[in-house]
Amino acid sequence: GTLDLRADADGNLWIALMHQGALAKFDPKTEKFRIYPIPPEWNGDIAQIAMLEPPKLGSHTLWALDQGPMDVYRVDLDSGKYERFQPLKVLPGNQPRTIYGFATDSHDNIYFTEFLSNLIGRLDAKTGEVKYYETPSKSTWPRRIEMDREDHLWIAEFHGNAIAMLDTKTETMKEFPLPT
């Protein structure tokens, strides 16, 4: 089945194909699909392409999350070549970790949530370096995120009863508690 469906700037639909081990692009004008399969060496029994971030205007790169091993893929859409990143491996300890939320900024850096904590991760598109930011409150379980046009990352705090905003330019975060 499918889990995530997102449109790109050209109106194409991008689909995360979960246990089918692939991403798909649907062109509504031609009504045709193009499939981008995971490389066979990464397409194991636990592979689940759960979330994706389609290319921004002028970009030829798509980001995707493999929910099974918690790998992040960058896909070159011209060649179909995948690059694999493992951003959770840089975190200390051996407690369970999970990514749940994806967004790119205007420089094609990918931001993601570490759902079982209060961490927001950033994977630098040029260097592959991973950096983490903490939400102002502890144990917020950040879940859904969206990037606005000013490179502000908006974060739903699932256990925090709030939303937070990370200004990716100044690397500062504000929290807005809900009035309920």
Side-chain angles (χ1 to χ4, degrees), residues 76-174:
D76 180 302
L77 299 174
D78 294 330
S79 68
K81 182 181 176 187
Y82 277 67
E83 288 179 83
R84 180 171 71 169
F85 300 90
Q86 298 177 309
L88 296 180
K89 295 212 182 236
V90 303
L91 293 172
N94 60 356
Q95 66 265 38
R97 302 268 188 198
T98 189
I99 295 173
Y100 199 101
F102 245 37
T104 53
D105 66 13
S106 62
H107 305 285
D108 208 28
N109 301 306
I110 188 79
Y111 289 79
F112 55 91
T113 66
E114 197 293 295
F115 179 56
L116 300 176
S117 68
N118 65 318
L119 298 174
I120 306 301
R122 175 188 185 267
L123 194 139
D124 187 285
K126 290 184 178 140
T127 67
E129 179 185 348
V130 178
K131 181 174 186 172
Y132 282 93
Y133 306 89
E134 292 188 55
T135 58
S137 297
K138 300 295 179 203
S139 300
T140 55
W141 287 33
R143 191 170 180 181
R144 304 281 185 182
I145 58 177
E146 291 290 332
M147 187 72 68
D148 69 20
R149 286 180 230 156
E150 297 174 10
D151 282 345
H152 296 137
L153 183 70
W154 293 93
I155 304 145
E157 296 180 334
F158 185 68
H159 274 239
N161 197 39
I163 60 171
M165 187 272 294
L166 171 64
D167 183 326
T168 64
K169 293 173 185 158
T170 64
E171 297 187 322
T172 58
M173 194 175 311
K174 288 174 75 174

Side-chain angles (χ1 to χ4, degrees), residues 2 4-6 13-17 22-26 33 52:
T2 64
D4 201 4
L5 172 70
R6 313 283 298 281
L13 298 176
W14 291 89
I15 306 130
L17 295 177
L23 298 158
K25 172 186 168 185
F26 179 71
F33 286 94
L52 57 84

Side-chain angles (χ1 to χ4, degrees), residues 30-50:
T30 63
E31 297 184 2
K32 297 211 185 285
F33 286 94
R34 177 168 178 197
I35 306 298
Y36 295 84
I38 300 172
E41 63 271 21
W42 299 334
N43 193 3
D45 291 341
I46 64 168
Q48 298 178 46
I49 301 298

